[in-house]
Amino acid sequence: MRSLSACVATALTSPFAHAADPATVTLPSVTVIAIAPGLYESRNPWTLPYDARSLDRHDLDPAHSTGLADALERGIPGVSLNAVQGNPWQPDLQYRGYTASPLLGTPQGLAIYQDGVRVNEVFGDTMNWDLIPARAIDTATLSGGASPVFGQNALGGAIDLRTNTGFTAPGTRLGYETGSFGRDTSFLESGGNDGRLGYYVLGDNIYERGWRDLSPSHARHALGVFSFRGDRLDLDLHLAHAETDLTGNGASPIELLREDRSAVFTAPDETANRLSQASLAGTWRFSDNASITATAFTRRVRTRSYNGDTSDTVPPDYDAIGILGMRRQKAYGGDAVFRTTTPLFGLDNAFVAGVEDRRGNVDYDSQERAGILGEDRHVSGDGPLIPDASVDVHAGTQDRAAFVSDTLHLAPAWTLDVTGRFNRTRVTIADRSGKNPALDGDHTFSRFNPSVGLTWQPAEHLAMYSSYSESTRAPTPVELTCADEDAPCKLPNDFVSDPALKQVVARNVEVGVRGGDTAMHWDVSAFRSTSAHDIVFQTTGGSLSNEGFFANVGDTRREGGQATLRGQWRDVGWHVGYSYLRARYLSGFDEVSANHPDADANGIVTVRHGDTLPGLPEHTLKAGVDWSLSPSVALGIDGRFSTGQYLRGDEIDALGKTAAYVLFDVDASWQVTPHVLVTARVDNLFDRHYASFGVLGNPSSVFPGMSDPRFLGPGAPRAGWLSVTLSL
């Protein structure tokens, strides 16, 4: 785990060069951060007026984690994962009480960018972690706070991903991993450059049967980056394709888990994604202190989902339904950013101005068929079609923005950052079936969001900072099409009307201090983020509280802080990180929570001022040691502690929290030869039983003898994997 870290280029030997005269390109060591989507600048990290953390290729190596989200959770204090779906490639990632989730219905509060392309999906701002291979990422930087420069959804922060290029990841590597849960992973990657032209390609194949019943997953990725580096012009063409088929059978009743932790409630819950994406990014340097960077992209994601569930609204001889949904999403657009470092009033200054135009279209259709719940609780949905439940809807989005940002060095020890961004978002919705004209709608949201930050560095290795920032999130098409209390929908398959919702506005205040050197570094920060007009999903029913509607519920507040300490002593590196979060409702409201035992006859509970937001741990602690036993052998031990959390659906804090848990993971690597690396990893070393997620449901719909409404997302048992990597 590292603080805001460098993208350090090393001496690269070009595969394009003749054997007799190898060309070697050595790039200087620089520290770069994303100051806008796709725009990076060399900057002294001591002058940042907010908390930022970065992971490099080693931290993101799949030999040390399962997927990108898992690597972020292990490596960055304050990041936690919820096993909502029970699939390692479909987690909710949470930071400062805000979420990036693949599930429709989850309020999204983190913006995710890959090489300048926003990868939050069109329909619900969801984040499909399974579509990004962690091995292809060179650096992942999480910037905390409601940064307006990152646009929509950056309520709690933004994650900026930089893909490998032939200049940052030269050489050819292939590898294979096998181990628990029937997991088999193979990959091939290659990169190189001749000083001006570079290439990087990656292909992988991942399969596992899963540790829970009826839970196989399969993912394949292909990616290519083709680069040009000139005296004044840099270009990068990114091409990506991915196909995934994931089964995440979600939470199970607590009474069932006591009998069998691998048991599922009902099945299947299958999501198959298919991604095709292309982007072109270029930078033209007018002079040594002025440049313009532009990005253009197109992104298509097709999602096929199938969910089996119980139902009492089916024809005789049937007791369940199979829900088939299809989402075809297309996003396209681009941005242009001008940057200059021309002094202002004789002071060092960096000025940035940019414009964005990003558009999206989604076609969504679904149908329900009557089915039968088998003895293994697998639904066979091959019965008659339920015509009244069919949906066919089209939605379009348009996001336009203009922003400016200025960093002025007021004095050798003082740095001022000022940013402003104007967003305008339009969402249109049209019913294509002719059955649901109430779906039709046209909504526009706009706002100017500012931020200001001040940093004081009184000594070389000591800095203090404070900042204020604002950011917004416009209601998504899925929220607008499911916002009528009198006509609830079944996520993610049924939409019936689009009453207006207000956009969410987050106001963030942050202070911090950082210090130390290469031998030991520490930092402490505190924040308070208040969101106005927060949007939540209110549950009117469904066995897993998946039937309901979206509504603005007033203000919420997330506040807390974190502290980290890390260092190096001889051959031992170590780190400790603690995070505290208090997330609560500031406005009281009546919530529909049909499965809550304290709900009234209408399924309503009353949320009070000060009640806790569910699904968020209050305390987390992470620590680890990396020990180089010899030049070729290394051992790592990591521990993670998390307190429990209130269950979704229990916004009144009446049913208690999930249990706290501690996990330990170990990994070891052996560089057998300069070309052969063997890595072993064991997760959950002591085989702890734990749950990282909870929700209210109705177990009696499947198990008549069960009455406890608490459902938990169980964590995986002890597991181990062995991988071999060959470098050519």
Side-chain angles (χ1 to χ4, degrees):
M1 184 277 295
R2 301 168 56 184
S3 176
L4 180 71
S5 62
C7 172
V8 179
T10 57
L12 308 178
T13 300
S14 169
F16 300 144
H18 297 293
D21 184 23
T24 301
V25 178
T26 302
L27 300 179
S29 297
V30 294
T31 298
V32 295
I33 64 167
I35 58 173
L39 181 64
Y40 306 90
E41 74 169 12
S42 302
R43 180 168 177 176
N44 181 355
W46 294 91
T47 66
L48 291 175
Y50 51 84
D51 188 70
R53 311 281 168 154
S54 186
L55 304 181
D56 61 17
R57 294 189 67 212
H58 173 76
D59 302 319
L60 299 167
D61 190 336
H64 306 297
S65 57
T66 302
L68 176 60
D70 186 33
L72 293 169
E73 192 264 348
R74 292 170 184 262
I76 298 181
V79 171
S80 62
L81 299 183
N82 276 354
V84 180
Q85 286 293 88
N87 186 296
W89 293 280
Q90 292 178 296
D92 279 5
L93 182 144
Q94 298 169 324
Y95 180 70
R96 295 189 174 184
Y98 294 96
T99 303
S101 169
L103 294 183
L104 292 174
T106 302
Q108 310 287 335
L110 297 173
I112 318 293
Y113 287 86
Q114 182 180 6
D115 301 311
V117 177
R118 189 172 186 267
V119 293
N120 297 85
E121 305 295 358
V122 175
F123 200 30
D125 279 341
T126 52
M127 176 59 197
N128 288 315
W129 299 105
D130 56 303
L131 297 179
I132 301 179
R135 191 179 304 278
I137 304 303
D138 180 51
T139 58
T141 301
L142 193 161
S143 300
S147 175
V149 75
F150 284 97
Q152 290 288 340
N153 253 56
L155 306 182
I159 299 175
D160 191 89
L161 307 173
R162 297 186 68 186
T163 303
N164 292 325
T165 70
F167 294 88
T168 62
T172 298
R173 293 160 292 276
L174 66 156
Y176 176 74
E177 179 185 73
T178 188
S180 297
F181 318 142
R183 184 180 300 173
D184 284 298
T185 301
S186 56
F187 76 91
L188 171 65
E189 67 174 340
S190 181
N193 73 87
D194 67 355
R196 293 179 68 85
L197 297 175
Y199 80 95
Y200 173 81
V201 293
L202 167 73
D204 69 15
N205 184 76
I206 305 168
Y207 173 80
E208 76 164 44
R209 66 170 182 270
W211 71 273
R212 299 181 69 191
D213 297 342
L214 307 170
S215 299
S217 291
H218 190 192
R220 292 172 290 180
H221 307 91
L223 182 143
V225 182
F226 305 95
S227 307
F228 170 77
R229 299 290 182 265
D231 296 334
R232 291 188 176 275
L233 177 66
D234 293 343
L235 291 172
D236 288 292
L237 173 65
H238 296 84
L239 304 174
H241 182 78
E243 297 181 12
T244 66
D245 191 346
L246 310 180
T247 306
N249 287 317
S252 290
I254 191 171
E255 294 167 280
L256 177 63
L257 293 175
R258 289 174 183 148
E259 302 174 5
D260 182 1
R261 289 187 59 80
S262 65
V264 300
F265 184 53
T266 60
D269 191 344
E270 181 182 6
T271 302
N273 288 317
R274 183 185 180 98
L275 162 74
S276 295
Q277 179 174 310
S279 67
L280 178 64
T283 297
W284 174 261
R285 290 175 290 276
F286 300 101
S287 63
D288 291 340
N289 62 358
S291 64
I292 187 168
T293 297
T295 302
F297 76 95
T298 179
R299 174 182 173 88
R300 294 177 181 268
V301 177
R302 186 190 71 185
T303 301
R304 179 185 180 275
S305 62
Y306 182 77
N307 176 253
D309 204 352
T310 57
S311 177
D312 56 6
T313 60
V314 291
D317 302 325
Y318 296 94
D319 59 0
I321 53 174
I323 310 171
L324 176 64
M326 180 69 76
R327 301 195 296 271
R328 300 172 182 86
Q329 302 179 87
K330 179 182 179 181
Y332 59 96
D335 57 57
V337 182
F338 172 76
R339 178 179 182 270
T340 179
T341 55
T342 302
L344 181 65
F345 307 123
L347 302 174
D348 289 342
N349 188 66
F351 174 79
V352 174
V355 293
E356 293 182 7
D357 190 337
R358 301 171 187 267
R359 309 187 183 200
N361 293 292
V362 58
D363 293 313
Y364 180 84
D365 59 81
S366 72
Q367 61 181 20
E368 297 183 12
R369 288 187 177 276
I372 296 176
L373 186 67
E375 293 184 1
D376 60 356
R377 298 183 296 285
H378 186 280
V379 173
S380 175
D382 54 2
L385 185 69
I386 303 175
D388 292 341
S390 297
V391 174
D392 191 357
V393 65
H394 171 83
T397 64
Q398 182 182 63
D399 293 301
R400 289 180 173 175
F403 62 87
V404 294
S405 180
D406 192 83
T407 301
L408 179 64
H409 297 279
L410 300 171
W414 294 89
T415 304
L416 175 68
D417 285 82
V418 179
T419 298
R421 178 186 178 107
F422 179 78
N423 295 317
R424 185 181 186 276
T425 300
R426 183 184 180 191
V427 181
T428 58
I429 303 164
D431 170 48
R432 301 191 305 179
S433 68
K435 301 178 182 178
N436 302 302
L439 282 173
D440 297 342
D442 191 333
H443 309 265
T444 300
F445 307 91
S446 60
R447 195 173 192 274
F448 176 80
N449 294 315
S451 73
V452 59
L454 185 65
T455 305
W456 178 42
Q457 189 178 359
E460 181 180 3
H461 298 297
L462 177 66
M464 289 167 272
Y465 63 87
S466 62
S467 62
Y468 173 82
S469 57
E470 297 182 5
S471 188
T472 52
R473 179 176 82 82
T476 65
V478 69
E479 291 170 334
L480 290 168
T481 52
C482 183
D484 190 346
E485 180 179 2
D486 297 324
C489 64
K490 296 177 182 177
L491 290 174
N493 306 289
D494 182 23
F495 309 110
V496 289
S497 59
D498 68 337
L501 293 171
K502 297 178 181 179
Q503 64 180 335
V504 182
V505 179
R507 298 174 174 88
N508 184 80
V509 177
E510 182 170 356
V511 296
V513 57
R514 51 176 71 102
D517 52 28
T518 55
M520 186 175 69
H521 185 91
W522 56 269
D523 53 73
V524 179
S525 62
F527 72 93
R528 169 178 282 184
S529 180
T530 303
S531 293
H533 316 303
D534 225 343
I535 300 174
V536 302
F537 184 72
Q538 301 209 33
T539 60
T540 59
S543 57
L544 272 174
S545 298
N546 62 335
E547 182 175 326
F549 61 96
F550 293 96
N552 293 113
V553 295
D555 295 352
T556 58
R557 174 167 291 163
R558 298 155 176 87
E559 58 189 352
Q562 59 192 43
T564 62
L565 182 66
R566 60 193 174 279
Q568 184 76 32
W569 182 75
R570 295 184 179 180
D571 297 325
V572 178
W574 53 272
H575 66 269
V576 179
Y578 166 75
S579 178
Y580 168 74
L581 172 68
R582 185 187 184 196
R584 55 198 175 102
Y585 294 100
L586 297 184
S587 304
F589 62 97
D590 288 338
E591 183 194 23
V592 182
S593 183
N595 292 318
H596 201 292
D598 294 338
D600 64 17
N602 297 314
I604 293 176
V605 296
T606 299
V607 179
R608 301 156 299 178
H609 170 89
D611 282 342
T612 304
L613 272 66
L616 301 169
E618 185 176 10
H619 303 276
T620 60
L621 178 67
K622 303 174 186 179
V625 175
D626 295 302
W627 184 14
S628 296
L629 302 176
S630 73
S632 60
V633 178
L635 176 67
I637 303 175
D638 291 279
R640 286 171 289 159
F641 164 78
S642 177
T643 54
Q645 55 188 260
Y646 289 106
L647 280 64
R648 290 187 186 174
D650 182 29
E651 280 72 13
I652 63 173
D653 305 348
L655 303 179
K657 298 181 179 181
T658 61
Y661 60 87
V662 178
L663 302 177
F664 287 93
D665 308 321
V666 297
D667 64 76
S669 62
W670 177 27
Q671 192 75 52
V672 183
T673 74
H675 301 287
V676 178
L677 174 66
V678 176
T679 303
R681 175 171 118 242
V682 177
D683 287 355
N684 193 1
L685 178 64
F686 298 107
D687 200 22
R688 298 301 188 193
H689 289 183
Y690 72 100
S692 61
F693 172 73
V695 66
L696 298 186
N698 178 19
S700 64
S701 62
V702 176
F703 299 95
M706 295 184 181
S707 58
D708 194 321
R710 294 175 295 169
F711 284 58
L712 299 180
R718 179 170 51 226
W721 296 275
L722 180 70
S723 65
V724 179
T725 301
L726 176 63
S727 300
L728 304 179

